[in-house]
């Protein structure tokens, strides 16, 4: 039986550990916290079958002027952090140009198209169906020209990638969400995407399914990774663990491990915040909605109405800057009767993003039995289970379900 260590118990690491246990590996899943307590806990909980286009930087002048004063809700930056991540940011900027972006979309989509089917296999195995809703989510609009442009995109991705949607005018939207204000003129309802009422609980359910297949969860801080004659040794604050194989699924913390191993890959962080709220005046919200022209997302969760912010370009360690959340909250209050906050402090996390917008999934260049799976950016919660499947297939020497060439780590060599 192959002894395999998976470091990182977010959605990505837990899904990999589950698939490896299914294939008969003896797996130890290591995390300093219990499974699903970091980025995979605090996200918006959408399983985004519609997300076949990653998120480019704005490159048109109007949008650049809009973002520059650093007061917009969808994207903010800290100048110092821009310097420290200059190379990956520059790559992301170049890849946001129309020609480069057009090449990335079908590659990204090749993973996304599997997201719901792969989650479904896992949540049935985990008995976690009660956490999933399959009735989609809403992208809402305020301006006719923007709404029309996004409908054209929707028609395109329906045609090319099987994304399902319905266009709702103001009246149709009002029938679904009677408490949304009149500033909203309509919505695109993404009907084959799903939502999760408690993202952290779903990761924990997947971790329990992994343990039921013989896997072991070890709560420990990993400190070093050393190549040995028999494979690898992971030094932790609970002692060393030996394995024939190691998978690094350390999400936003992956730069630390890349530096230790001598790799240079363009990973940077798009931080985000969340806060839960009451609904005021007996208002109800059935669907998650993205306020497209403002750039925040509000979704009904077990813990309350979860408001999540767009991107903050900042270092992982910098202290929280909650202006973006406050601006988003003020904006929601203009279109929905939001009540009081449910927590004293905002949750903060970081999307692990690569300069070419695609995750790294595959063997570590120049090393045996070391595998990398990180950099899933805005869609790591969506992409965990398909990542688990393809890593299992590649480690067994099988042809993976998806052509993994675009995601190989040696593309940066
Ligand atoms: C505001 C926001 C909203 C989002 N909304 C969505 C959404 O709706 N849908 C979607 O698909 N994605 C969404 N995302 C993105 C998604 O959350 C991430 O891409 C995903 O959670 C990354 O998962 P991961 O397993 O790679 O990382 P993580 O969940 O962060 O897991 C990495 C783990 O590694 C562990 N670790 C790191 N270093 C060590 C060490 N030295 N020792 C021990 N353990 C270690 C950490 O403790 C952590 O648990 C959102 C992100 C944000 C910030």
């Amino acid at each position: 039986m192959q002894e395999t260590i998976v470091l990182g118990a977010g959605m990505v690491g837990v899904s990999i550990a589950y698939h490896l246990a299914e294939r008969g590996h003896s797996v130890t899943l290591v995390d300093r916290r219990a499974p699903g307590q970091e980025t995979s806990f605090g996200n918006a909980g959408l399983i985004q079958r519609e997300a076949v286009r990653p998120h480019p930087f704005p490159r048109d002048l109007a949008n650049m002027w809009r973002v520059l004063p650093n007061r917009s809700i969808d994207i903010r930056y800290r100048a110092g952090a821009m310097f420290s991540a200059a190379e990956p940011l520059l790559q992301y900027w170049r890849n946001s140009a129309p020609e480069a972006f057009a090449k990335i979309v079908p590659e990204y989509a090749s993973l996304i198209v599997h997201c719901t089917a792969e989650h479904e296999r896992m949540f049935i195995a985990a008995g976690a169906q009660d956490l999933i809703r399959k009735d989609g989510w809403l992208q809402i609009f305020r301006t006719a020209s923007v709404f029309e442009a996004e409908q054209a995109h929707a028609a395109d991705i329906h045609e090319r990638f099987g994304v399902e949607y319905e266009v709702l005018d103001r009246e149709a939207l009002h029938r679904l969400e009677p408490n949304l204000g009149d500033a909203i003129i309509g919505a695109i309802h993404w009907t084959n995407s799903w939502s999760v009422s408690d993202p952290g609980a779903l990761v924990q359910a997947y971790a329990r399914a992994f343990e039921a297949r013989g896997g072991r969860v070890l709560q420990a801080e990993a400190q070093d990774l050393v190549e040995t004659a028999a494979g690898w040794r992971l030094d932790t604050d609970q002692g060393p663990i030996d394995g024939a194989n190691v998978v690094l699924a350390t999400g936003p913390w992956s730069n630390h491990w890349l530096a230790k191993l001598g790799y240079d890959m363009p990973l940077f962080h798009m931080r985000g915040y969340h806060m839960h709220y009451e609904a005021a005046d007996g208002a109800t919200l059935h669907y998650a909605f993205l306020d497209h022209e403002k750039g925040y997302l509000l979704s009904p969760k077990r813990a309350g109405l979860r408001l999540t912010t767009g991107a903050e370009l900042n270092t992982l360690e910098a202290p929280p800057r909650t202006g973006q959340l406050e601006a988003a909250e003020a904006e929601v209050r203009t279109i929905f009767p939001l009540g009081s906050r449910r927590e004293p402090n905002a949750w903060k996390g970081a999307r692990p993003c690569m300069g070419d917008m695609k995750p790294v999934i595959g063997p570590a260049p120049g090393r045996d039995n070391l595998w990398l799976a990180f950099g899933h950016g805005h869609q790591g919660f969506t992409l965990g289970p398909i990542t688990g499947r393809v890593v299992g297939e590649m480690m067994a020497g099988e042809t993976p379900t998806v052509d993994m060439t675009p995601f190989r780590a040696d593309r940066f060599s």
Side-chain angles (χ1 to χ4, degrees), residues 8 10-12 31-32 39-40 43-46 222 377-382:
M11 180 54 96
V12 174
D31 200 302
R32 60 167 83 96
T39 331
S40 301
N43 58 69
L46 299 178
H378 291 255
Q379 268 87 45
F381 190 72
T382 297

Side-chain angles (χ1 to χ4, degrees), residues 7-14 30-48 119 203 220-223 249-254 256-257 270-274 297 307-310 347-352 373-383:
L7 177 59
M11 180 54 96
V12 174
V14 168
V30 181
D31 200 302
R32 60 167 83 96
R33 303 189 65 183
Q37 294 299 304
E38 292 285 359
T39 331
S40 301
F41 164 86
N43 58 69
L46 299 178
I47 298 175
Q48 293 185 264
H119 265 283
V203 182
E221 170 84 33
Q223 294 161 331
T250 36
W253 290 272
S254 300
H256 171 81
W257 295 96
M270 291 205 201
R271 301 196 333 179
Y273 299 85
H274 88 218
L297 205 141
L307 175 60
T308 44
T309 60
W347 173 88
K348 168 173 78 66
R351 303 166 181 91
F374 55 77
H376 292 69
H378 291 255
Q379 268 87 45
F381 190 72
T382 297
L383 291 175

Side-chain angles (χ1 to χ4, degrees), residues 374-399:
F374 55 77
H376 292 69
H378 291 255
Q379 268 87 45
F381 190 72
T382 297
L383 291 175
I386 178 62
T387 302
R389 170 169 298 284
V390 293
V391 168
E393 291 167 343
M394 284 188 286
M395 285 177 75
E398 297 167 12
T399 305

